[in-house]
């Protein structure tokens, strides 16, 4: 157990990563109790789901900020710096703010029977930072699942559930129904829930959970898309909600799949305005989906090697969305640099990417979770025999090699990889 806060709070916090994933709410409850329940100092909105939850979190925060509210945003993982996980009014917190809050969290953890996990500690840190900043509202992205995720310690005023698909099956279950039940665990009694378009099995479970808990369920599918055009990878849509019509919204985040994320965010922001607790007008809602940035998700950057398209695409659904984007936007196969964590569905992810890939250059970021490049290469040769495959010891060497095969180079398969590349080129 942690016996005392160390002078290097950042190193002490990072050392908690060796504990690994630990689902359950007892530890986080004890930790926020020791901190004096910072989560009760402000209302929170929680975003759960498999894909799109980071994008929806970013849109919600941007809309609330555009409405004049002081916001806190908590997301994971970070791409380059830990501070990215914690934003006040859309800006990452400073190193000084992080270190001071880390010391307080570590000091509070002394009273716990066992040390918190890294995610439990960072969740508590977010709540502590937000309380200190006197925010008006927090938007919290669920880390893993929902029911037993540390973010579920808060009594959220509203919940968004994005697209539910297969990921983290070892923790969440091996059927879509089991995964949906874990995601639906964030729904609070008498709360507000907005559900993104999802398969019928997910709809049923979320609907039943809302009925059991007396929660109000709104469906993003009831937002009608009147027209869609794609321009340079961005969707321009006209949508009609039960409340109003939005003409020619140019979505700030690339990819056709962002349409459903925007429908979800718009529906929830309208519902929050309807409660009378916040005033969120049409202009703020337009800003939410048009003026939003979310790094590492279909992010186009320039480097010495040429253009690079960076996307996490770390599960099968994300990989399918990326492949569809490449085919629709570029109309041809592109060279891919790929790295995938060894606990992911490697074959399925590579199979999903293959139709858009002219070649795979397999590599690994600096994390013990990463599959070895030669392991990926073997899998790629097996599942996509028509795609040329090679390996590179590190991501930047892989990009140089892939760039010789065409432009832009697509970087995909892992947010760890996305972070490594962004650290070198941004």
């Amino acid at each position: 157990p942690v016996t005392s806060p160390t002078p290097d709070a950042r190193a002490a916090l990072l050392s908690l990563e060796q504990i690994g994933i630990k689902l359950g709410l007892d530890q986080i409850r004890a930790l926020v109790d020791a901190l004096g329940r910072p989560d009760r100092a402000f209302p929170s909105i929680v975003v759960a789901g498999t894909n799109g939850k980071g994008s929806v979190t970013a849109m919600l925060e941007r809309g609330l900020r555009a409405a004049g509210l002081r916001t806190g945003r908590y997301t994971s993982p970070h791409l380059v710096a830990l501070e990215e996980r914690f934003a006040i009014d859309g800006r990452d917190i400073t190193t000084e703010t992080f270190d001071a809050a880390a010391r307080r969290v570590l000091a509070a953890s002394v009273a716990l029977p066992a040390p918190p996990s890294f995610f439990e500690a960072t969740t508590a840190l977010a709540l502590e930072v937000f309380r200190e900043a006197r925010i008006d509202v927090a938007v919290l992205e669920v880390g893993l699942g929902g029911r037993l995720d540390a973010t579920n310690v808060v009594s959220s005023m509203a919940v968004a559930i994005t697209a539910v698909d297969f990921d983290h099956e070892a923790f969440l279950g091996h059927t879509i129904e089991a995964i949906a039940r874990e995601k639906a665990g964030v729904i609070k009694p008498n709360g507000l829930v907005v559900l993104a378009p999802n398969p019928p099995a997910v709809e049923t479970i979320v609907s039943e959970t809302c009925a059991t808990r007396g929660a109000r369920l709104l469906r993003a599918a009831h937002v009608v898309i009147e027209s869609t055009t794609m321009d340079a990878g961005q969707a321009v849509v006209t949508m009609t909600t039960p409340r109003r019509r939005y003409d020619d919204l140019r979505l700030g985040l690339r990819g056709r799949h962002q349409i459903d994320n925007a429908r979800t965010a718009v529906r929830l922001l309208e519902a929050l305005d309807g409660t009378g607790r916040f005033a969120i007008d049409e202009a703020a809602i337009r800003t939410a989906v048009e003026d939003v940035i979310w790094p590492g998700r279909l992010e186009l950057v320039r480097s010495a090697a040429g253009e690079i398209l960076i996307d996490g695409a770390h599960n099968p659904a994300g990989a399918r969305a990326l492949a569809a984007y490449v085919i629709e936007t570029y109309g041809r196969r592109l060279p891919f640099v790929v790295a995938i964590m060894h606990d992911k569905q490697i074959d399925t992810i590579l199979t999903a990417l293959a139709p858009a890939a002219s070649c795979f250059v397999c590599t690994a970021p600096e994390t013990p979770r990463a599959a070895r490049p030669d392991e990926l290469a073997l899998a790629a040769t097996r599942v996509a025999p028509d795609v040329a495959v090679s390996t590179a010891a590190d991501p930047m060497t892989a990009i140089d090699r892939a760039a010789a095969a065409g432009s832009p180079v697509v970087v995909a398969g892992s947010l760890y990889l996305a972070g490594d590349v962004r650290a070198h080129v941004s």
Side-chain angles (χ1 to χ4, degrees):
V2 176
T3 56
S4 64
T6 68
D8 190 344
R10 181 179 301 263
L13 196 70
L14 286 168
S15 74
L16 298 174
E17 287 188 295
Q18 64 188 333
I19 294 172
I21 295 172
K22 185 172 61 175
L23 296 179
L25 299 180
D26 290 345
Q27 282 280 88
I28 186 64
R29 283 175 180 150
L31 186 52
V32 295
D33 281 344
L35 287 165
R37 294 306 302 235
D39 55 301
R40 293 175 179 167
F42 48 83
S44 292
I45 298 162
V46 168
V47 182
T50 304
N51 289 297
K53 60 184 176 177
S55 298
V56 170
T57 297
M59 291 178 191
L60 291 173
E61 185 280 329
R62 186 67 188 94
L64 293 165
R65 178 159 41 98
L69 297 166
R70 185 163 172 78
T71 60
R73 186 190 70 215
Y74 174 55
T75 56
S76 62
H78 60 278
L79 296 178
V80 179
L82 266 172
E83 287 83 352
E84 296 169 27
R85 296 176 178 237
F86 321 91
I88 305 293
D89 286 339
R91 294 178 178 270
D92 297 348
I93 64 171
T94 64
T95 297
E96 293 75 19
T97 297
F98 175 90
D99 289 344
R103 285 192 290 271
R104 294 195 296 274
V105 168
L106 291 168
S109 73
V110 172
L112 272 59
S117 69
F118 175 74
F119 189 74
E120 287 167 340
T122 56
T123 300
L125 192 151
L127 301 174
E128 179 70 6
V129 164
F130 295 162
R131 174 172 63 178
E132 184 179 44
R134 299 182 180 276
I135 65 166
D136 297 315
V137 59
V139 187
L140 312 174
E141 179 192 4
V142 170
L144 179 61
R147 181 176 65 93
L148 299 176
D149 187 81
T151 55
N152 206 25
V153 73
V154 307
S155 295
S156 56
M157 66 175 295
V159 165
I161 298 177
T162 66
V164 175
D165 212 306
F166 290 95
D167 201 8
H168 300 294
E169 290 95 322
F171 296 97
L172 305 181
H174 296 276
T175 66
I176 199 69
E177 291 84 0
I179 294 169
R181 287 189 190 95
E182 291 298 318
K183 307 292 184 182
V186 299
I187 297 170
K188 300 298 185 185
N190 305 310
L192 170 65
V193 180
V194 171
L195 176 65
N198 263 289
V202 175
E203 292 253 355
T204 297
I205 286 164
V206 171
S207 178
E208 290 174 350
T209 304
C210 286
T212 300
R213 299 180 186 175
R216 177 187 176 205
L217 174 61
L218 301 176
R219 290 177 170 83
H222 292 169
V223 176
V224 178
I225 302 301
E226 306 286 356
S227 66
T228 303
T229 58
M230 298 300 295
D231 181 19
Q234 291 176 290
V236 180
V237 301
T238 293
M239 65 173 66
T240 301
T241 72
R243 193 170 187 182
R244 64 169 68 93
R245 177 185 173 97
Y246 299 86
D247 288 308
D248 298 324
L249 292 167
R250 185 183 183 93
L251 304 189
L253 302 182
R254 290 185 177 89
R256 188 177 289 274
H257 60 282
Q258 291 294 351
I259 296 172
D260 281 348
N261 293 332
R263 294 164 83 189
T264 305
V266 167
R267 191 85 160 102
L268 183 49
L269 288 168
E270 284 190 346
L272 291 170
D273 178 63
T275 65
R277 188 162 185 177
F278 304 127
I280 308 169
D281 63 13
E282 179 179 353
I285 293 174
R286 290 190 72 98
T287 298
V289 299
E290 292 186 325
D291 183 28
V292 61
I293 298 170
W294 195 230
R297 285 75 172 179
L298 289 178
E299 180 184 15
L300 196 62
V301 300
R302 294 187 182 277
S303 74
E307 280 194 329
I308 304 173
L309 181 66
I310 303 174
D311 193 67
H314 61 284
N315 57 40
R320 289 193 296 270
L322 171 58
Y325 173 85
V326 168
I327 292 166
E328 179 174 32
T329 304
Y330 295 96
R332 57 188 168 87
R333 291 183 166 194
L334 298 178
F336 272 64
V337 170
V338 294
I340 305 173
M341 299 302 100
H342 60 69
D343 57 343
K344 296 287 187 174
Q345 297 182 43
I346 292 173
D347 285 12
T348 309
I349 291 171
L350 290 170
T351 298
L353 295 176
S358 62
C359 67
F360 285 130
V361 183
C362 302
T363 189
E366 291 188 18
T367 170
R369 284 188 59 201
R372 297 196 318 268
D374 61 310
E375 293 175 328
L376 288 184
L378 281 173
T381 301
R382 182 173 62 252
V383 304
D386 64 324
V387 180
V389 179
S390 62
T391 62
D394 62 86
M396 297 314 295
T397 300
I399 286 173
D400 288 339
R401 186 166 298 163
S407 180
V409 171
V410 183
V411 170
S414 164
L415 286 170
Y416 289 97
L417 175 64
D420 268 16
V421 172
R422 286 191 90 250
H424 283 90
V425 303
S426 61

